[in-house]
Amino acid sequence: MELAYYSDYAVRLVNSEQPARGKDTLTSVEAVRELFGANQSAARRATDADVTRFRSVRARLRSVFAAADQGDEALAVDLLNSLLLEFPVSPQISGHDFRDDDGRPLWHMHLADHPSNATAGYAAIAAMGLAFHLTEYGVDRLGLCQAPPCRNAYLDTSTNRSRRYCSDRCATRANVAAYRARKRLEADRSDSTGLADDSAQRASANGER
């Protein structure tokens, strides 16, 4: 099963908003349809009513990432389970679009949704994909970017579980900020040391008199 593909549904939806920056790209039915990516048949089901419904699911998915990021595994699982119960899917064997050298289908697992609306279909796939990722790799593989004010969601697929940022851009920005902070601290310490030395020299000179 293409776990990365399905779990990316959750990441895309969560990252359509950056609360700390006051940015939200999920403002129209066209924006909703873009979240479906290549799944255009599902995207066409979206209506204006799905904008509000998508935002509600987005908040719940962000809560899953936030709980995981804070190390609260039980809460992350409970929140995700509630989504799975509300938005169920049916696993099916599929061979569409994939053929071997002899033209035979390459059978694989596919998540088939039976939605009453576009939001239900998207939420079902996003929640199930995230659940597969969580159980396969661990709750600590779900995170929120540590480069403020970003806080975008990401899935850690690194071999040593070391990922802390949603992108190379945020990682670079955080490293530059940390470097500048160290330089400021070193400069402040140098200034403090210089002032202390001056005071000691003045005290010594006064004592000699």
Side-chain angles (χ1 to χ4, degrees):
M1 183 173 293
E2 299 174 351
L3 300 181
Y5 173 77
Y6 286 121
S7 56
D8 191 53
Y9 270 59
V11 174
R12 288 204 304 268
L13 178 54
V14 172
N15 291 347
S16 66
E17 180 186 30
Q18 294 185 336
R21 288 178 168 145
K23 293 183 178 181
D24 187 350
T25 61
L26 192 56
T27 57
S28 66
V29 66
E30 288 76 17
V32 168
R33 288 170 178 160
E34 287 179 5
L35 289 170
F36 283 91
N39 192 356
Q40 289 304 299
S41 61
R44 283 192 289 271
R45 293 197 299 259
T47 67
D48 289 332
D50 285 297
V51 176
T52 300
R53 290 193 288 251
F54 260 67
R55 286 178 172 176
S56 176
V57 172
R58 179 179 64 188
R60 294 171 67 182
L61 286 170
R62 177 171 282 277
S63 294
V64 175
F65 279 92
D69 189 64
Q70 294 164 8
D72 194 337
E73 296 191 10
L75 178 58
V77 170
D78 286 344
L79 292 171
L80 189 50
N81 272 336
S82 70
L83 284 164
L84 292 169
L85 287 172
E86 186 173 345
F87 302 106
V89 297
S90 301
Q92 294 180 350
I93 300 173
S94 175
H96 65 81
D97 298 332
F98 297 98
R99 300 280 173 173
D100 63 16
D101 293 338
D102 297 323
R104 294 175 301 184
L106 292 175
W107 301 112
H108 61 280
M109 292 301 297
H110 172 73
L111 297 183
D113 59 271
H114 307 286
S116 56
N117 54 65
T119 303
Y122 193 100
I125 293 174
M128 184 60 76
L130 201 56
F132 276 119
H133 194 96
L134 184 152
T135 53
E136 179 72 17
Y137 301 108
V139 179
D140 59 342
R141 292 293 188 140
L142 280 60
L144 293 174
C145 187
Q146 298 300 301
C150 178
R151 303 302 281 168
N152 269 349
Y154 65 84
L155 299 171
D156 185 0
T157 56
S158 64
T159 56
N160 57 358
R161 298 173 182 264
S162 62
R163 185 170 178 179
R164 298 176 57 215
Y165 307 104
C166 68
S167 65
D168 290 339
R169 180 180 179 182
C170 276
T172 299
R173 183 161 55 84
N175 290 334
V176 170
Y179 173 79
R180 289 174 177 171
R182 287 195 302 270
K183 288 300 182 182
R184 285 195 297 270
L185 181 59
E186 291 171 2
D188 290 343
R189 287 175 176 171
S190 179
D191 291 343
S192 297
T193 301
L195 290 174
D197 290 342
D198 289 344
S199 297
Q201 290 174 2
R202 285 196 297 271
S204 176
N206 290 335
E208 291 175 356
R209 292 175 190 161

